[in-house]
């Protein structure tokens, strides 16, 4: 009889412990991570001459950069690239605006990277380009052409042993005259295939070969720029 009572008592204790959550999972909940979003750029405007810089001296001016606020962001990194020298500079900002001193009469590209202290993931804005006005400059060289197709580093399949190259050009004065395309298997292509007003060109290719190409853009005032070197591989 005593054994029976002990069994009943043990059963009651077990039921009480279970009802109090004794068998539940008490491990802490992982905090939710919110990924930063990309900003929308405001100023300096895309593909235009920046005339609002505050002159510092004969060679430099301070430019006001601004963008729309993003979500889940603690700070921003503004990356500014001098398109002539290729130099990239990064400036941190805790707000949606910052002033940066740059050389006058130079073309630049810029973008904003959203960051958060709660994650290593970031978000990148679009890339915009502008010319910083130079003293006495009345006409600016075109921006360097950008490859569209094939994408840089892409592997493509030729059609009848041909591939079409395409690119985009821009000029703050809207006076692009023509494009000259250099193409070949050398890492520094020097063979000129064509001078054209189009932004595409069909080229002959061979299978299992890597090709390199670049585009020289010239405007009506004989100002010019030459693009970076693009590459692609043919299957």
């Amino acid at each position: 009889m005593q054994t029976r009572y002990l069994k009943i008592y043990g059963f009651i204790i077990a039921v009480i412990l279970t009802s109090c959550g004794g068998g539940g999972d008490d491990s802490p909940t992982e905090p939710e991570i919110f990924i930063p979003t990309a900003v929308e750029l405001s100023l300096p405007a895309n593909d235009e001459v920046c005339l609002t810089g505050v002159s510092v001296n004969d060679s430099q001016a301070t430019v006001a950069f601004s963008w729309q606020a993003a979500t889940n962001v603690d700070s921003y990194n503004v990356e500014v690239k001098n398109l002539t020298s290729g130099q990239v500079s990064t400036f941190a900002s805790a707000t949606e605006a910052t002033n940066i001193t740059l050389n006058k009469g130079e073309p630049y590209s810029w973008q904003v990277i959203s960051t958060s202290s709660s994650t290593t993931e970031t978000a990148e804005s679009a890339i915009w380009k502008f010319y910083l006005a130079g003293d006495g400059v009345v006409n600016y060289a075109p921006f360097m052409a950008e490859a569209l197709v094939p994408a840089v580093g892409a592997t493509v399949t030729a059609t009848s042993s041909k591939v079409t190259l395409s690119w985009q050009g821009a000029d703050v004065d809207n006076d692009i005259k023509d494009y000259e395309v250099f193409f070949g298997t050398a890492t520094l292509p020097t063979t000129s295939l064509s001078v054209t007003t189009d932004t595409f060109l069909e080229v002959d290719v061979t299978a299992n070969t890597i090709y390199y190409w670049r585009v020289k853009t010239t405007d009506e005032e004989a100002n010019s720029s030459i693009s970076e070197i693009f590459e692609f591989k043919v299957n």
Side-chain angles (χ1 to χ4, degrees), residues 149-161:
V149 179
V152 178
T155 298
V156 301
T157 300
T159 301
S160 300
S161 298

Side-chain angles (χ1 to χ4, degrees), residues 41 44 65 67 76-83 87-93 98 100 102 108-115 122-130:
L41 305 181
F65 289 78
W67 53 93
Y76 305 96
N77 288 328
V78 184
E79 289 191 351
V80 181
K81 181 178 181 180
N82 183 308
L83 296 178
Q87 179 180 353
V88 178
S89 301
T90 302
F91 305 87
S93 177
T98 189
I100 299 173
L102 301 170
Y108 295 91
S109 66
W110 70 290
Q111 70 174 152
V112 175
I113 300 173
S114 305
T115 66
T122 60
E124 298 183 0
S125 73
I127 298 176
W128 281 10
K129 297 175 293 185
F130 69 95

